[in-house]
Amino acid sequence: MTTQENHDFLRRVERAYQGEVYGEALYRGIADHLDDPERSEKWRILAELEVVTKALMRDLVAKLGGDTTESEVFRQKGIDNVEKYAALPWDAFMARYSKELEPVIERYAELEKLCAPEDLATLRFLTEHEVVTKAFCDLELAGRPEISIAPTRALLASLS
């Protein structure tokens, strides 16, 4: 990669890291907002996945020489968006969020193609964590709430 391509790649990795800061705040807020304890617990597990992914990404950003400071702007944006999602009927929320994850998955998959071989596992996990979050939404929409969080649990367990 050229110097400019390296710079652009680092900025995209830093942006993905800040996306995890946003996601953690959003998911915790949703979990706290929901009245249904089972749904709330699922969002707590999804928030846990955001925390784990954020830690992996922080390490990668540091390795690449980037800024590992967690952005208060991204955190606040997550907090501010809780009501936008949590106020929706469940199926509308799941459908909207599933659709919103599609371009994120594509963006992260593109990072995998651009990274050094030694960074592939981290960026693959970044992509996969969005894939299982989308799977959660899609399984909820399909009327399979009893298994909807299973892919998330499996991905978390893969780190053990």
Side-chain angles (χ1 to χ4, degrees):
M1 276 195 258
T2 67
T3 303
Q4 183 60 44
E5 289 169 334
N6 279 331
H7 178 76
D8 292 344
F9 178 77
L10 175 58
R11 293 297 156 254
R12 291 170 68 186
V13 170
E14 287 175 329
R15 172 63 180 82
Y17 167 62
Q18 297 302 338
E20 300 313 300
V21 173
Y22 164 84
E24 177 187 2
L26 176 66
Y27 293 8
R28 285 181 196 257
I30 290 169
D32 291 344
H33 190 278
L34 293 173
D35 292 331
D36 181 311
E38 289 181 23
R39 289 177 175 171
S40 180
E41 179 59 20
K42 289 174 183 178
W43 280 95
R44 287 186 204 302
I45 294 166
L46 289 164
E48 179 185 342
L49 180 59
E50 293 295 291
V51 170
V52 168
T53 307
K54 181 179 72 174
L56 292 170
M57 291 303 295
R58 182 186 312 103
D59 291 347
L60 179 58
V61 169
K63 175 186 172 272
L64 297 174
D67 183 0
T68 59
T69 306
E70 292 188 22
S71 167
E72 286 305 315
V73 171
F74 277 80
R75 185 181 322 286
Q76 190 60 50
K77 184 178 176 186
I79 293 166
D80 293 346
N81 281 332
V82 168
E83 188 64 32
K84 173 177 94 169
Y85 294 110
L88 292 171
W90 186 251
D91 283 355
F93 172 23
M94 293 297 97
R96 179 177 183 172
Y97 207 69
S98 175
K99 185 154 184 60
E100 288 178 3
L101 288 170
E102 291 171 6
V104 178
I105 292 167
E106 289 176 22
R107 194 166 55 244
Y108 291 171
E110 184 63 28
L111 286 176
E112 289 179 50
K113 295 176 187 172
L114 299 172
C115 73
E118 63 271 17
D119 300 329
L120 182 57
T122 298
L123 291 172
R124 181 73 205 126
F125 190 92
L126 175 71
T127 304
E128 195 59 29
H129 101 283
E130 299 293 5
V131 169
V132 299
T133 303
K134 182 177 179 353
F136 161 74
C137 296
D138 294 344
L139 287 164
E140 286 284 328
L141 282 170
R144 302 298 311 271
E146 73 282 1
I147 63 165
S148 63
I149 203 67
T152 304
R153 288 184 192 274
L155 186 59
L156 283 166
S158 76
L159 292 176
S160 301

